[in-house]
Structures are given as C-alpha cells and as structure tokens.
Amino acid sequence: MAVNAVHLESDAFLVCMNHALSTEKEEVMGLCIGEVDTDRIAHIHSVIILRRSDKRKDRVEISPEQLLAEMTGRPMRVVGWYHSHPHITVWPSHVDVRTQAMYQMMDQGFVGLIFSCFIEDKNTKTGRVLYTCFQSVQAQKGSEYERIEIPIHVVPHETIGKVCLESAVELPKILCQEEQDAYRRIHSLAHLDPITKIHNGSVFTKNLCSQMSAISGPLLQWLEDKVEQNKQNIAELQLEKERLTLELTDLD
Amino acid sequence: MAELNTTAHVSGYVLASLMFHHFNRNSDVEGFLVGGIKTVAKNSITDSQMDGVQVEYTIDIQKHIPCSTVHSFYNYVEINKEVLKKLLSCHKEQNVIGWYRQRRNTEQVMTFRERLIHQNLQKCLSNQELVFLLMTSSAITESSSTHSLEYAMYKLQGSCFHKVPVLVTNLGIVDQQDYHASSIACSSVGYTRVVKKLRSKYFNTDGSLKEVCRINEMSSALQEELKETCGKVEESERSLEKLLDEVNKLRKTVKEKKKLCMQTLEEKKCKKPKTDENVLLCQALQKLFPETKTLQTQTISLEGAPLPAYTCSADHGIDISEVLPLLLADKEENCESDTERQLEQSGSETEEDLLDPLKIQMASSHSPTF
C-alpha cells in the first residue's frame, strides 16, 4: 500500500463528524486536505464539505473531473475523501471500493474514510459512531478490487483551525444552495398551475425552515458557546501565565 | 393509564464537540450537561381504551461544560460543593440536567464509583431527574483502522439505573416532502376564478412567490449571523492558540528549571564529607610500628575492635625523619620496648583470639547497640 497510516487532526475529525451527523436520510461526503510525509503517513489537517453530483440517497461520489477540479483549484493538497454511512455498517461497499480505486489511479496515496453513524442498539439503548480508513487493491482473482485496512489515529489539536471553521459553517450554505437549485428547477416548469406552485413554495419554505432549525440553529449555538468557553479558558490561562512567570523569576 | 416514554435529544454538534474534547486529552474527561426538559402529554383513543395518555418526556441537551481535569469536583465520591458551584457559576442550577464521562477502552457500564457520585450529585443539585451520559471509545480492529465510539444515557429510577435512548437530532428526522412536478387538473370555473382573484397575495409581479422570497431573506440573514459568529470564534481560537503556546513553553521551562534545582540539591546531599586521612599520622605509625597492623587501620568493627584487614599501606611520600625527627629519635632509644615485642609476636592465634583481649577491654564501651 502507498500509505502506512493516517493521522487525522481532531478539529478535522470534528468537521467530518458534524457533517456526518447532519442527516440520517442520505450519505454526505467531503475531501480531506493535508500532506503525506516521508514515512508515508498521511496527515489530514482539514476537510472540505462537497455538494454531490449524484444525489441518490445510497450513493455518494463525485466525478473524477470534479475531484480533479477540486484538487487543482485549491492551494492545499487533497489527500483523501470521506463519506458517511447513516444506519449502515462502516465497511465500504463494492461501489465505495471501486470509487476509491478510481481515485487512487490519480494519486496512489489517496485514502478513503467512512463515518458510520445513527447506529443504535434498541436492546441495549446504546448509540454508536464508527469510523474507518481504507485503500483499494486489485483482488488476486478476477478484475475486482478489494479493501485494505489503513491504521487511522485522531491526533490532538487543542484549537480549531481556520480552514476547519470555514468548512463547518459552509454546510448550511451548501444545503441552502442545493434546495434553491431544486426549487428553481421545479419553479421553472411553465405548465404548473398556481396551486401547485404555492404548494412547491411551501415545500421550499418548510425544507429551508428544517435546515435552519436542525443545522443553522444548533451550529450557531455551538459557535456562541465556543466563544464563551474560549473567553473563560483565556482568562484562566492568563492567570496561569502570570503565576508561571513569577515562579520562573523565583527559580532564577 | 399513563405511558411514559423518555428520550434524550442531542444535536450532532454537541455530540461531535464532546468527542473533540476527549480526543484532545490523554485521560478520561468529565463535565456537565446543560439543557432543558420538555413534557408533552398526548391523549390517545383506541379500541381498547378511551382515556389512554402517552407522556413524552424529552431531555434536551443543548451544551456541555467540560471540566479542565478529571476528579475535579469530587473527593473520591464526596462532592466538593465549592468547586461544583464555581464550575456551574454561569448557569442556573435548574438548567444543569446531567453530567458526563468519557473513557477509553472500557465497557459501556457505569462503575460503582460513578453510581455513587451520581447519587451524591443528585442530592447536591437537588435534581432527582439528573442524567449521566457515558461515552466510551476503542479500536475494533487490530490494525487500528476502525474505531468505535459508543454513547448511552443513564437515569436513576428508585435504586436502579436505567438507560434512556439518545436521539441525535438532524435534518433527516423531519419529513422532506417532495416537490410536485405536474399540475393539478381542475376545470372548475369557480376554482379558477378564486385562484385568479387571490393570486396577487401569493405571487410577485415577476411570478416569484412572496413566501419564498421571505424565507430566502431569513436564511441569508442567518447565514450572515453564522459568518459573523464564525469570525469571532476564529479570533478567539487564534488568541487561545497563541496563549496556550506561551503557557506550554513556560510550563516546560519551569519544569526543566525545577528539575535542575532538584538535581543540584541531590548532588549536594549525596556528597558525603570526605574523611581526609591523617596522612602524617598514618606515615608516622607505619614508620614507628611497621608490624602492628591494628595501629595502622582507621576502621573498627561493630564491637569497637580495630580491623587489620583495612590497613592503609600506602606510601604518602612524607619523610618522617624530616617532619617528626624527635619521634624517631625516641623510637631508636626505645627500640627494645616490651610493648612492640609483645605486639610483634605472631603465633598460631587467629585474629579473633588476638582481638578477644581487646574486646574484654572494650566491654565497657558506651557505643550504642541495636
């Protein structure tokens, strides 16, 4: 395999998890940004949330052209992709393995991450989130591909990076754009009667309201809480800094 | 008969934030949950009963307050009320709905200690509905390619802890109705007349729907708010990052300086005062009593007898005839001294036999015995 392990920074993990937990009705996906070092360890510093070309609920991929455009259009290096498996097993499907193999043709160090969420054991009333990392290799028999495991470690990153923050707040924008595109396509149908148009307008309103209450609202609350928490942490750290400076002077 | 259904709701953002906090610590983490409780009673009429009541009890987790260190608000199981008060100072007591713990590579089961802490917290916070969220993480493959994060909520009912299902609120919960792509076929004249008459209340002159424009405005305004708050978070994260870096460097420097101080102190303690040998005395005794080893040793046994085995036979390079001429002159005069002859005699006695008389002499020694 071209990659020995993946080190995913915790703030990048946070954005992936936010994205994966945003909906249980369909799979979501994004790209992993970072670099591969000389020990063939892929370091993922941030992620980018993507709009999907294929909006089927159980299929998520972007075309190689779209991927290449994303890869070349950005100053940072794309080292992998991630997607979610809501209510289903964390292991990649044969389509996922084939998609990964296709991406590896462009970059053999490209890795795939899958986040399985909304798994609930009704008997034990325990919820679960799983994440895995993989690459694809040609199967020994036949022309199919098979999965190979890549060790993944989430490494600490005390603060949230700028790119991660920007990616996190991109989600409501993307969802809104997707909904506006769907509505525009429907509204442009000239033959629709007024009642149907009003109905469609209500559907649009309802969908946008769902996005605002389920995504924008909780996201805004989390950001505001983070500002407050950071204020407290900064105040405590400031006190500790003064104390340590005094201690250092005494030791000198 | 009332049927009670209890569920806990948490947004993906709060759950992910909890996980993020744990990833940044190499130990267990603890904290408190803030939110609210909603109770909704629904009447249900079925064939079997007229007055069925279903009570939906929803525990809504809105945020978490992480503790900076583990075991911070309790001593073993006793709650430290002052620390607790300080931790929860920014929140009303009634909004604190529970506490949480995150552990690695452990079972998804409350420990005995956690149960006791929970009971004591309930008394402290005067909240009998307090909940406990336990999150456990582990690698499920040997290669560490796949990891699992489990979460479950516990509530004390009577003397037993029961699990409360946790629902992660998300976009997919709400039914997304599909758009209609085909018209409703209706040829009624009255129908068409009413729609035409009231059309202007719903449509703008350009054919766009008024409510669509309004909701788009709301959505854009919310996105602006998000952008602005994100900017504030970014600023505070950078300040925090810079300060953390400075404090970590200071911590490291202080630790190194303390280590250096400790090392210096240890070295000073370890250095025993060197017992300088009285080389002049040693050389003089070697010269005057060359055969009497017991006089040339500084080491004595526990009983106080000199040990000839530890004799110093080193030549210290001191010429006694020059330094102590009178001493040697005295020796020459007394060269037939009885004392020296007695001590010179070597027989078949063992060291112990020789030392025995000395031991008898020293029987009245006042050295401490143990």
Side-chain angles (χ1 to χ4, degrees):
Chain A
M1 57 196 171
V3 166
N4 289 329
V6 167
H7 287 186
L8 174 65
E9 286 185 1
S10 58
D11 54 344
F13 174 91
L14 174 70
V15 182
C16 290
M17 195 50 64
N18 281 342
H19 193 197
L21 293 174
S22 66
T23 176
E24 63 179 297
K25 289 289 184 198
E26 55 194 21
E27 297 183 5
V28 299
M29 78 165 281
L31 295 176
C32 304
I33 308 294
E35 73 264 336
V36 181
D37 67 20
T38 48
D39 293 326
R40 306 302 301 162
I41 295 176
H43 298 266
I44 299 172
H45 303 306
S46 57
V47 296
I48 288 165
I49 290 171
L50 289 178
R51 285 188 65 172
R52 300 171 353 191
S53 55
D54 188 336
K55 280 279 278 183
R56 276 177 292 172
K57 284 179 188 183
D58 61 345
R59 290 286 183 264
V60 60
E61 62 230 33
I62 55 172
S63 64
E65 292 77 21
Q66 199 176 351
L67 180 65
L68 201 61
E70 292 287 345
M71 283 165 87
T72 53
R74 295 187 187 276
M76 303 155 286
R77 190 187 155 191
V78 179
V79 295
W81 68 304
Y82 72 89
H83 71 280
S84 69
H85 274 190
H87 294 290
I88 51 176
T89 173
V90 72
W91 312 120
S93 62
H94 65 280
V95 175
D96 292 335
V97 176
R98 222 181 303 132
T99 306
Q100 171 64 26
M102 191 174 64
Y103 294 155
Q104 271 175 237
M105 283 179 203
M106 289 185 285
D107 176 3
Q108 60 171 351
F110 212 73
V111 293
L113 269 59
I114 297 176
F115 291 84
S116 168
C117 35
F118 304 106
I119 308 289
E120 195 196 312
D121 186 330
K122 294 258 186 279
N123 294 328
T124 61
K125 293 181 187 170
T126 303
R128 228 196 216 187
V129 162
L130 298 106
Y131 58 99
T132 191
C133 185
F134 72 104
Q135 281 195 304
S136 299
V137 288
Q138 194 95 47
Q140 281 179 342
K141 289 179 187 171
S143 59
E144 276 302 309
Y145 292 96
E146 58 186 21
R147 165 184 81 99
I148 50 161
E149 295 179 353
I150 304 288
I152 178 167
H153 308 280
V154 178
V155 297
H157 196 272
E158 286 271 5
T159 55
I160 308 172
K162 185 172 190 254
V163 181
C164 285
L165 268 174
E166 285 170 356
S167 294
V169 297
E170 194 66 14
L171 179 59
K173 218 188 285 180
I174 289 174
L175 291 170
C176 183
Q177 279 168 1
E178 285 182 346
E179 197 60 46
Q180 282 171 342
D181 287 348
Y183 174 73
R184 213 173 288 125
R185 276 194 298 272
I186 257 328
H187 194 69
S188 63
L189 297 171
H191 61 274
L192 294 179
D193 65 283
I195 300 295
T196 304
K197 285 191 176 181
I198 293 169
H199 166 85
N200 288 340
S202 303
V203 169
F204 176 77
T205 303
K206 188 176 177 181
N207 290 349
L208 229 57
C209 286
S210 300
Q211 286 172 17
M212 288 190 282
S213 62
I215 304 294
S216 304
L219 176 55
L220 196 50
Q221 177 159 20
W222 175 68
L223 288 170
E224 286 168 1
D225 292 340
K226 200 84 184 85
V227 172
E228 276 311 305
Q229 216 173 69
N230 285 353
K231 265 189 208 156
Q232 276 180 28
N233 289 345
I234 285 170
E236 283 169 15
L237 280 169
Q238 204 61 50
L239 283 170
E240 194 185 344
K241 186 183 168 186
E242 285 164 15
R243 182 185 63 78
L244 284 167
T245 311
L246 263 168
E247 203 175 336
L248 202 57
T249 317
D250 287 341
L251 284 168
D252 284 336
Chain B
M1 198 171 72
E3 193 187 313
L4 182 67
N5 284 332
T6 309
T7 46
H9 286 196
V10 64
S11 74
Y13 290 101
V14 173
L15 196 62
S17 175
L18 281 162
M19 294 172 190
F20 171 67
H21 187 237
H22 194 201
F23 278 125
N24 289 336
R25 297 284 180 277
N26 55 12
S27 64
D28 294 353
V29 298
E30 291 169 332
F32 292 89
L33 301 170
V34 174
I37 295 177
K38 202 168 58 178
T39 314
V40 174
K42 287 181 186 171
N43 289 324
S44 64
I45 302 170
T46 61
D47 289 344
S48 54
Q49 56 186 22
M50 283 288 291
D51 57 353
V53 178
Q54 208 174 36
V55 179
E56 299 284 337
Y57 191 79
T58 308
I59 302 163
D60 186 29
I61 302 166
Q62 289 157 8
K63 69 186 269 192
H64 69 102
I65 307 166
C67 297
S68 52
T69 54
V70 76
H71 314 310
S72 60
F73 61 91
Y74 52 88
N75 299 318
Y76 191 64
V77 293
E78 294 306 318
I79 308 295
N80 187 327
K81 291 182 183 173
E82 282 198 24
V83 171
L84 184 69
K85 198 176 167 185
K86 193 181 169 193
L87 274 167
L88 306 176
S89 57
C90 297
H91 303 274
K92 290 183 195 164
E93 208 174 272
Q94 63 260 35
N95 291 343
V96 178
I97 54 167
W99 67 298
Y100 68 86
R101 195 127 196 249
Q102 298 190 69
R103 318 192 218 110
R104 287 183 179 91
N105 303 314
T106 57
E107 283 184 35
Q108 180 56 243
V109 169
M110 276 184 89
T111 61
F112 181 59
R113 190 181 186 184
E114 283 163 357
R115 288 165 196 257
L116 290 174
I117 292 168
H118 185 88
Q119 286 170 358
N120 290 341
L121 256 179
Q122 268 192 194
K123 286 179 201 157
C124 244
L125 296 170
S126 310
N127 182 356
Q128 295 307 305
E129 307 297 322
L130 203 73
V131 293
F132 173 64
L133 178 68
L134 178 60
M135 294 173 72
T136 53
S137 58
S138 58
I140 63 169
T141 56
E142 215 177 291
S143 61
S144 299
S145 64
T146 310
H147 302 256
S148 167
L149 298 158
E150 290 191 352
Y151 51 90
M153 187 161 277
Y154 298 80
K155 194 169 171 228
L156 187 61
Q157 280 168 352
S159 57
C160 294
F161 280 90
H162 294 271
K163 276 189 176 172
V164 174
V166 178
L167 180 74
V168 180
T169 55
N170 64 91
L171 199 54
I173 285 174
V174 182
D175 283 333
Q176 303 270 310
Q177 286 182 15
D178 288 342
Y179 293 104
H180 290 175
S182 53
S183 272
I184 300 166
C186 185
S187 54
S188 155
V189 171
Y191 180 93
T192 313
R193 187 175 59 241
V194 165
V195 168
K196 199 172 171 182
K197 183 182 170 188
L198 295 171
R199 191 195 159 92
S200 59
K201 284 189 192 281
Y202 293 89
F203 290 88
N204 292 318
T205 47
D206 63 357
S208 61
L209 272 153
K210 287 181 183 176
E211 83 175 301
V212 167
C213 294
R214 276 198 294 269
I215 203 69
N216 268 329
E217 266 176 44
M218 172 87 87
S219 176
S220 299
L222 205 49
Q223 281 178 29
E224 276 305 310
E225 189 68 36
L226 271 167
K227 194 176 163 186
E228 203 180 304
T229 312
C230 180
K232 285 181 191 166
V233 173
E234 155 72 9
E235 206 180 301
S236 70
E237 289 288 318
R238 301 291 75 81
S239 303
L240 184 64
E241 200 171 61
K242 190 175 165 221
L243 195 53
L244 259 170
D245 193 42
E246 286 171 14
V247 168
N248 282 335
K249 280 184 183 149
L250 273 169
R251 280 179 191 153
K252 195 178 169 190
T253 311
V254 166
K255 193 178 172 184
E256 281 168 5
K257 289 247 166 174
K258 275 186 175 172
K259 196 178 169 186
L260 202 63
C261 284
M262 287 300 293
Q263 269 177 357
T264 314
L265 265 164
E266 281 299 318
E267 276 169 19
K268 278 182 184 170
K269 271 184 196 172
C270 286
K271 269 186 188 172
K272 287 178 189 173
K274 206 176 166 185
T275 46
D276 292 329
E277 191 187 5
N278 189 337
V279 295
L280 181 61
L281 177 62
C282 180
Q283 196 84 85
L285 287 170
Q286 279 179 21
K287 190 75 180 171
L288 290 171
F289 307 104
E291 304 303 324
T292 313
K293 301 298 176 194
T294 49
L295 289 177
Q296 291 170 35
T297 178
Q298 289 183 93
T299 311
I300 58 171
S301 67
L302 287 172
E303 290 82 24
L307 297 171
Y310 294 91
T311 304
C312 173
S313 56
D315 182 6
H316 298 292
I318 299 172
D319 188 357
I320 293 298
S321 58
E322 275 189 27
V323 178
L324 300 167
L326 291 176
L327 206 65
L328 277 180
D330 279 348
K331 185 184 185 291
E332 277 165 13
E333 281 174 18
N334 298 318
C335 64
E336 295 300 317
S337 155
D338 291 340
T339 312
E340 173 68 348
R341 193 175 295 119
Q342 277 172 18
L343 290 170
E344 267 183 51
Q345 279 172 358
S346 58
S348 58
E349 302 91 342
T350 63
E351 195 176 282
E352 277 152 1
D353 294 335
L354 282 171
L355 288 174
D356 275 343
L358 283 170
K359 277 186 195 172
I360 293 163
Q361 277 178 31
M362 287 180 179
S364 60
S365 164
H366 294 295
S367 301
T369 54
F370 299 95

